[in-house]
Amino acid sequence: MRIAVVAFGKLKTPGLAPAIEHYIKMASIWAKIEHIELKPLAVPGKDPATRARIQEAEAQLLRARLSGILKNPSDYFLLDESGRQLTSHAWSALLGVCQNDVSGTVAFCVGSSLGFSKGLKTQAKAVLSLGAQTLPHELARVVLYEQLYRALSILKRHPYHNEG
């Protein structure tokens, strides 16, 4: 299985890049995971019209990058605070379905501070949330990588996930 995590912005907070590398390395026995960063656009104002314009321009950047890595243009999931929350077992089931149904690579996308356009949300396989709390985009990436590793470990019956 191939998984791409596509995120807007560079990791700047100390310690987060090594944490992501740690989860990628641990998951590498079950899946090839690629970390892709896109440059977010400047935000001159957050009025609705400017927000929509920037979201659509970033959607074009994301679509262009996804077209280079996905065989099926809709084999991506968006991480968004309005998305569906999953348990660790549900994440595992999702990856199990992807392993069987996705041709090639599946992508999980983390947006810029403005989030995703409505068009991207309707074209995605699903819009998912990492929880009810608000996370900084950089930290959300670390949580996503850990959850991907945990889901793979459940799928492969590895003892990392400890319930009870």
Side-chain angles (χ1 to χ4, degrees), residues 83-103:
R84 189 176 78 227
Q85 294 181 40
L86 302 177
T87 65
S88 295
H89 281 282
W91 274 97
S92 181
L94 176 73
L95 289 184
V97 168
C98 289
Q99 196 169 24
N100 295 327
D101 292 350
V102 171
S103 59

Side-chain angles (χ1 to χ4, degrees), residues 23-151:
Y23 289 114
I24 290 173
K25 182 179 177 183
M26 290 194 335
S28 69
I29 60 174
W30 302 308
K32 177 167 178 19
I33 300 179
E34 183 179 6
H35 181 82
I36 301 167
E37 293 180 336
L38 300 176
K39 185 176 181 180
L41 300 177
V43 181
K46 291 192 180 181
D47 62 277
T50 301
R51 180 185 189 100
R53 182 179 50 79
I54 293 171
Q55 283 177 329
E56 191 49 48
E58 288 181 341
Q60 295 300 332
L61 291 172
L62 181 58
R63 283 187 190 105
R65 189 62 177 103
L66 291 175
S67 72
I69 58 176
L70 300 178
K71 290 181 182 174
N72 180 344
S74 66
D75 282 346
Y76 68 91
F77 296 88
L78 300 178
L79 277 288
D80 187 87
E81 63 189 7
S82 68
R84 189 176 78 227
Q85 294 181 40
L86 302 177
T87 65
S88 295
H89 281 282
W91 274 97
S92 181
L94 176 73
L95 289 184
V97 168
C98 289
Q99 196 169 24
N100 295 327
D101 292 350
V102 171
S103 59
T105 303
V106 64
F108 291 88
C109 307
V110 179
S112 72
S113 63
L114 296 181
F116 294 108
S117 70
K118 290 179 183 174
L120 268 178
K121 288 180 182 180
T122 59
Q123 294 167 347
K125 280 199 171 298
V127 179
L128 306 173
S129 172
L130 295 172
Q133 74 284 353
T134 301
L135 294 173
H137 287 58
E138 292 181 68
L139 187 55
R141 280 194 248 177
V142 176
V143 173
L144 172 61
Y145 279 102
E146 190 282 336
Q147 216 37 227
L148 291 171
Y149 172 70
R150 181 177 299 276

